[in-house]
Amino acid sequence: MEMDNGAGMEFLAVAPEMIVLVGAIAAILSGSFLRRDRQWISRVIAIAALLSSAALAGLAFAQPVRTVFEGSFAVDVGTNAARLIICLATVLVIVLGVEELTAGPQESETYALMLLSALGAMVMSGTSDLLILAVGFLLASIPLYALIGMNRSATGAEAAMKTYLLGAFSGIALLLGVTLLYALAGGTAYATLQAELADMPAGVIALGLVGVLTGLVFKAGAVPAHFWVPDAAQGSTVSAAAFLTTVPKIGALVAIYRLLLVIPPSVNWPLLIGLLAAASMTLGNFAAFTQSDARRLLGWSTVSQAGYLLLPVAVAGLADLALPSLLLYLAGYAVTNLGAFAVIAATGRTPLEKYRGLARENPWLSVALVVSLLSLVGTPPTAVFFGKLTTFTAAWDGGLAWLVAIAAINTVASLFYYLRWIVPAFQRTSAPAAGQAISPQPRRWATQSAYAAAVVVIVMGTLSGLLLPLFEGPLIR
Amino acid sequence: MLSLVVFLPLFAAVVLAAFPKIPDRTARWAWVLITAIDAALVGVMWLGYRTPAAGQLGYEEQVKWIPNVGSSYHVGVDGLSLPLLALTVVVFLACAVYALKEDQRPRIQAALFLFLQTSCLGLFAAQDLILFFLFFDLSIVGMYFVIAGWGHGNAARSALKFFLYTFLGSLALLLGFIGLYLYAEPHTFDMVELAASAPLDGNPMAGGWVLGAILLGLAIKTPTFPFHTWLPPAHTDAPAIGSAVLAGILLKMGTYGFVRIAMPMLPEAWRAWSWLIIAIGIISVLYGALVALAQTDLKRMIAYTSVNHMGYVVLAVGAVGVAGSGPAREVAVTGALTQMVSHGLITAALFLLAGVLHERAGTYDMGSYGGLAGQAPKFAALFAVGAFASLGLPGFSGFIAEFQIFAGSIGTVPLTALALPGILITAALFLLALQRLLTGSAGKKTHAVTDLTTRELFSVGPLLLLALLIGVFPRPLLDLIEPAASTVVVLLGR
């Protein structure tokens, strides 16, 4: 591979990350100089930065893959797809939160924190060096604690504390794992790991891997470091909840995928990841059954979705479809999950029973809700269906047929609780009793985001044939 | 042409759903108009249809869709699918006419049924497993909203049970499809290619698992014993036209899957497991008939006769898999296909008639009626015709179908004669129902039952007329089915 050593060219290769960083700084600076009613300017800055970054990431698909900064950062299909999904998802989060955030006192700070955390996720997805991975982990996590705590409610404070403690613990585990792998391989670059680990004792490699994975599954919101997700989804603002259940996952799962490619087969990592996947989807589903709060329900649903997303990761490099199916599922999941949160943001209702009669009040919003939830179930022709189809195929192809069977049973089980949200929306309300407040007008930006997400869910599903080839290609280190 | 037939109803559904200002009356008539046009288009297709060479399709269309996983938008018809496409448009037209009086959100109902029609037509036209699965799932979603939105009694619960149960089936089906895909070289979801290559032959272990998953999915949908428990509550609480579509069309998706997917694509596994399939068929026939006999609720009774009638189909396709040769097998497959069409017409008519009773008097309890022959002679006449057609009286399509099924099955596997008492029990239960409803002294609800209106007559009448036509002149239908049936037998015998 031709290496370009010009420092300028190397910086150009990470321009999408640079722009997001500059956008975050510009958003917070402009926010501190602007009056409260002009804070929307910082929103425009944030969105502009994200869109430019997404555009550059899109252009980068056409460029040859390469590593920059002495092999520590890979610019390949995994990085570009993650950049694209992360940036566009963050834009959608900001748009669906316009009404909620405009009313709040820390609008520009929120945008800056979201951008920084998104940047962390982008770094995680692209790095091929354990130390940079640790930096990406911290960059993605620390703004998240603040985002969750911003809600300033009792539940918000508890959720922030829980997330912080779990994040600190899993961060330490990650660093321990990095230390172990470094000790074995004598370096932290993935290329070094791949070359040196093969002859090392499998038990120690496994221990190091488990340490690093503990940190990464925390970000992915998967078992065993998932406890923060439902609390944070319920306790923070709707936009923060939408963000934290979507964006960090993207970075973390691509990072896990990348790391596993350099772990030698002497460690049975497909089984390890397969067990984590099975545990995540099963636990997430069972816990979601009894929820009566829409945000908490989505919080647990996201734990189970992390389980499905681990399917292709468990066969990383072992099946042709593994990487494209992972990226397709991530893209589909991101827009679907944000669509469901956009409905919550639009109605401002969190208890499931308050959705009673939504179909009558606002038929299109209820259609958007049904599209999002059926996509989360995996009904064709929605985006997540094609994600599930390809990830199931990849996992079976990679030799994990048992895991595919578990995933299928879990999919059926998940239908039950998503329907618990759909059913009241289509039930007729009894005539409004005297004194009952008339439902507030749905918020415009959030409503439009829900519509847009629903349309994208269907279009992305129908056109997944065009998307899938885009997500194919080698990962380099 | 074929895509137009499939997607015309969907287009109309989107228009109806998108414009809340459309008056109810316009929506109802637009629904009838669209279904009539679609029926006419299928009629034109039938007239222009020339039997293609074995393994080929008529009206074939193929467009690249997801090339990376070997899936394409591939539709086409042959002697297996064209009769079912025709059945679909006829039943939906009958439902549209029946619903002309609907006063509960008629615009949305019309949109939903048109959506459902596209999913049914698409399924029977699909020649790609992913496309098949897509329409399979959409039909479940559509029917769920029909039952939950327009049902009565414990509709929400029945709809949920229906959704969960059949969704389980669809996931099993999906696993089976993925298995077929992975074992095919090169990997493909194309049904024509899979039928030509039979990828799992020579691999009995994997073949057994894949067939098991597909059978589970199809058996739940059909439904056969012991996977039928979702059916009676779904029917009881569904609106009349919902039941007609559910029994008339949606159940056929299961049995159609046997002849379209399971038998041609997994011939070796099918032959290995054919005894199990025969056993399930015999049990479904007898169990369905006996339980139907015990019902006092008219709709539940008709629902259980569906289990019985679909059992004959399962029995026939199972018998075809047992070793041996001869023309008997083709007769059995032809009979199975004819039974699907026949049952679709007759059961849809019976469910619509049951709906008439419920609309008038609010109950399906047969004990509440009696003496309807005097009170509502047109209703009595049509119901009697439907009952006799359903029990397999010569002169109706059911006779042609069941005669062929038994002639073909017993000719191949004499043991299938065990299912013969099913016919006797069915006859007994329908005669008993006729006696309870139509004759005797008036029951406490009889007075509420006014006779059929013109609308109802024009909805139910054509269905029974077609059943009679097929019974008297079966040749046009059989000429269509027979070449396709013999192709299935050849593919299975590889």
Side-chain angles (χ1 to χ4, degrees):
Chain A
M1 187 153 303
E2 202 177 319
M3 291 292 286
D4 195 333
N5 289 322
M9 292 303 285
E10 301 225 320
F11 276 105
L12 206 56
V14 292
E17 282 76 14
M18 295 303 202
I19 293 176
V20 174
L21 178 62
V22 171
I25 295 167
I28 194 140
L29 283 182
S30 65
S32 44
F33 288 107
L34 287 168
R35 284 213 320 260
R36 180 71 65 81
D37 58 351
R38 296 249 176 89
Q39 297 267 318
W40 59 268
I41 293 176
S42 62
R43 180 195 317 147
V44 173
I45 293 172
I47 291 180
L50 288 167
L51 287 180
S52 328
S53 175
L56 283 181
L59 290 176
F61 272 100
Q63 285 158 15
V65 294
R66 58 176 181 156
T67 58
V68 290
F69 301 118
E70 290 166 15
S72 63
F73 196 84
V75 185
D76 54 22
V77 61
T79 310
N80 285 327
R83 283 166 164 172
L84 195 62
I85 303 168
I86 288 170
C87 289
L88 294 181
T90 311
V91 170
L92 190 53
V93 168
I94 292 178
V95 176
L96 75 84
V98 165
E99 283 89 357
E100 185 183 43
L101 295 176
T102 308
Q106 283 153 327
E107 192 179 351
S108 56
E109 287 89 337
T110 306
Y111 299 140
L113 289 172
M114 281 181 182
L115 259 59
L116 286 175
S117 185
L119 176 63
M122 288 161 80
V123 170
M124 282 170 79
S125 72
T127 185
S128 53
D129 188 298
L130 287 174
L131 286 180
I132 313 277
L133 182 66
V135 172
F137 173 86
L138 293 174
L139 187 53
S141 302
I142 294 168
L144 210 56
Y145 309 143
L147 265 180
I148 298 168
M150 267 193 182
N151 198 13
R152 293 209 182 140
S153 61
T155 47
E158 189 195 330
M161 183 53 85
K162 205 164 178 175
T163 311
Y164 173 71
L165 286 177
L166 204 60
F169 169 76
S170 54
I172 290 167
L174 176 108
L175 289 173
L176 274 175
V178 169
T179 313
L180 264 179
L181 292 177
Y182 173 59
L184 286 175
T188 52
Y190 286 4
T192 316
L193 294 183
Q194 189 184 30
E196 303 297 330
L197 284 183
D199 307 322
M200 294 293 163
V204 190
I205 301 175
L207 209 59
L209 175 66
V210 167
V212 178
L213 279 181
T214 308
L216 294 180
V217 296
F218 163 74
K219 293 269 74 173
V223 170
H226 63 281
F227 297 103
W228 63 283
V229 180
D231 283 329
Q234 188 179 14
S236 53
T237 57
V238 177
S239 41
F243 182 85
L244 68 90
T245 52
T246 311
V247 174
K249 255 189 193 35
I250 304 165
L253 284 158
V254 177
I256 299 177
Y257 190 101
R258 234 179 241 288
L259 174 64
L260 290 176
L261 291 180
V262 298
I263 302 297
S266 57
V267 179
N268 191 355
W269 52 263
L271 180 67
L272 174 67
I273 304 289
L275 290 175
L276 289 182
S280 266
M281 55 180 97
T282 312
L283 191 76
N285 276 339
F286 275 101
F289 275 148
T290 52
Q291 302 307 327
S292 55
D293 180 290
R295 285 174 303 174
R296 203 171 175 82
L297 181 116
L298 282 180
W300 280 113
S301 124
T302 199
V303 174
S304 76
Q305 297 283 342
Y308 305 126
L309 281 161
L310 282 171
L311 247 69
V313 176
V315 293
L318 303 175
D320 292 340
L321 269 176
L323 183 65
S325 69
L326 171 66
L327 299 174
L328 184 70
Y329 199 140
L330 280 173
Y333 167 73
V335 62
T336 305
N337 192 50
L338 293 179
F341 272 105
V343 173
I344 298 182
T347 59
R349 304 172 194 177
T350 51
L352 291 182
E353 76 252 25
K354 286 218 173 153
Y355 280 83
R356 189 175 290 273
L358 180 68
R360 190 157 284 260
E361 290 165 40
N362 191 337
W364 290 113
L365 201 56
S366 60
V367 169
L369 179 69
V370 169
V371 169
S372 296
L373 294 184
L374 285 184
S375 180
L376 284 175
V377 176
T379 312
T382 58
V384 171
F385 165 72
F386 291 95
K388 275 197 175 161
L389 171 70
T390 48
T391 49
F392 283 16
T393 308
W396 189 340
D397 199 20
L400 296 178
W402 60 273
L403 186 58
V404 177
I406 292 177
I409 294 169
N410 266 295
T411 300
V412 177
S414 74
L415 174 66
F416 183 75
Y417 61 82
Y418 291 122
L419 278 180
R420 286 190 53 220
W421 191 353
I422 294 179
V423 168
F426 285 86
Q427 273 168 353
R428 277 145 277 181
T429 38
S430 45
Q436 192 177 334
I438 306 155
S439 355
Q441 201 62 26
R443 300 151 195 190
R444 231 180 76 230
W445 286 94
T447 310
Q448 301 292 342
S449 324
Y451 296 165
V455 170
V456 173
V457 163
I458 304 262
V459 171
M460 192 194 278
T462 324
L463 298 183
S464 50
L466 300 177
L467 220 49
L468 214 46
L470 203 63
F471 290 155
E472 268 182 351
L475 291 188
I476 57 160
R477 58 190 77 90
Chain B
M1 175 81 172
L2 185 53
S3 291
L4 178 68
V5 168
V6 171
F7 289 105
L8 175 70
L10 180 65
F11 176 74
V14 171
V15 172
L16 281 178
F19 296 100
K21 295 238 163 64
I22 295 176
D24 290 351
R25 202 182 136 76
T26 316
R28 291 189 201 107
W29 281 102
W31 181 16
V32 174
L33 182 71
I34 294 294
T35 46
I37 293 174
D38 221 28
L41 287 174
V42 172
V44 171
M45 275 177 62
W46 188 314
L47 289 178
Y49 177 80
R50 300 285 169 271
T51 301
Q56 304 282 310
L57 297 162
Y59 300 103
E60 192 172 4
E61 292 166 27
Q62 189 166 15
V63 182
K64 268 193 189 161
W65 188 25
I66 319 176
N68 288 55
V69 292
S71 175
S72 61
Y73 172 78
H74 189 188
V75 291
V77 298
D78 60 7
L80 303 178
S81 48
L82 190 51
L84 291 170
L85 287 172
L87 173 72
T88 306
V89 289
V90 168
V91 170
F92 273 95
L93 177 58
C95 289
V97 173
Y98 186 91
L100 274 175
K101 215 191 58 162
E102 180 69 46
D103 48 6
Q104 227 188 93
R105 289 163 292 162
R107 181 178 60 88
I108 301 297
Q109 190 189 41
L112 195 52
F113 270 82
L114 286 165
F115 167 80
L116 204 52
Q117 184 171 355
T118 285
S119 66
C120 296
L121 291 170
L123 182 127
F124 293 129
Q127 298 296 337
D128 180 278
L129 289 177
I130 296 307
L131 204 57
F132 181 95
F133 181 80
L134 183 148
F135 289 122
F136 192 91
D137 254 21
L138 288 184
S139 75
I140 297 174
V141 174
M143 186 48 76
Y144 168 78
F145 281 107
V146 166
I147 300 176
W150 283 266
H152 36 63
N154 207 345
R157 203 185 155 77
S158 301
L160 181 67
K161 190 170 182 183
F162 162 80
F163 201 162
L164 282 176
Y165 225 122
T166 50
F167 193 68
L168 173 71
S170 87
L171 257 294
L173 209 52
L174 184 65
L175 290 188
F177 290 174
I178 293 177
L180 280 169
Y181 167 82
L182 285 175
Y183 280 92
E185 276 307 333
H187 294 337
T188 181
F189 281 111
D190 193 81
M191 286 159 76
V192 179
E193 283 175 36
L194 286 169
S197 64
L200 280 135
D201 274 17
N203 195 340
M205 179 72 182
W209 278 105
V210 170
L211 181 69
I214 291 179
L215 278 186
L216 175 66
L218 297 176
I220 290 176
K221 190 82 181 179
T222 300
T224 67
F225 179 87
F227 306 111
H228 63 278
T229 49
W230 62 268
L231 183 79
H235 270 310
T236 315
D237 297 336
I241 53 173
S243 282
V245 168
L246 180 56
I249 313 296
L250 262 58
L251 301 193
K252 307 302 170 293
M253 294 179 177
T255 45
Y256 174 72
F258 288 128
V259 289
R260 170 61 74 196
I261 296 171
M263 294 164 79
M265 295 180 197
L266 296 154
E268 191 185 87
W270 184 274
R271 291 197 303 270
W273 291 95
S274 54
W275 282 105
L276 178 72
I277 298 161
I278 293 175
I280 290 175
I282 295 177
I283 295 174
S284 294
V285 165
L286 296 178
Y287 179 86
L290 284 171
V291 178
L293 182 63
Q295 300 303 317
T296 54
D297 178 306
L298 177 63
K299 233 179 167 188
R300 280 184 91 87
M301 184 198 87
I302 304 173
Y304 274 109
T305 62
S306 287
V307 178
N308 160 275
H309 281 124
M310 290 293 99
Y312 294 125
V313 177
V314 176
L315 171 79
V317 294
V320 179
V322 175
S325 61
R329 299 142 155 263
E330 284 168 33
V331 175
V333 176
T334 310
L337 256 300
T338 316
Q339 173 78 340
M340 291 185 212
V341 177
S342 160
H343 175 260
L345 293 170
I346 298 167
T347 307
L350 285 175
F351 272 125
L352 291 181
L353 288 171
V356 169
L357 279 190
H358 189 268
E359 245 171 54
R360 309 271 203 276
T363 176
Y364 295 120
D365 179 35
M366 289 193 274
S368 304
Y369 300 101
L372 286 178
Q375 171 86 10
K378 284 185 222 156
F379 173 86
L382 283 194
F383 189 80
V385 169
F388 282 118
S390 188
L391 64 80
L393 193 76
F396 287 104
S397 54
F399 172 75
I400 306 282
E402 282 163 26
F403 178 77
Q404 293 194 78
I405 285 176
F406 276 108
S409 304
I410 297 176
T412 318
V413 186
L415 210 63
T416 51
L418 277 176
L420 276 173
I423 293 196
L424 217 61
I425 304 171
T426 318
L429 73 93
F430 271 116
L431 292 175
L432 208 63
L434 286 178
Q435 189 194 348
R436 281 182 193 166
L437 290 176
L438 306 184
T439 63
S441 56
K444 61 177 186 287
K445 295 276 185 186
T446 303
H447 65 93
V449 182
T450 47
D451 208 354
L452 294 183
T453 61
T454 321
R455 165 185 67 88
E456 288 155 350
L457 210 57
F458 272 100
S459 163
V460 180
L463 295 175
L464 293 174
L465 199 64
L466 277 172
L468 181 69
L469 266 179
I470 294 173
V472 182
F473 304 109
R475 262 299 120 201
L477 180 64
L478 297 183
D479 284 342
L480 184 64
I481 296 174
E482 273 163 3
S486 81
T487 307
V488 170
V489 170
V490 170
L491 288 175
L492 188 63
R494 273 181 288 184

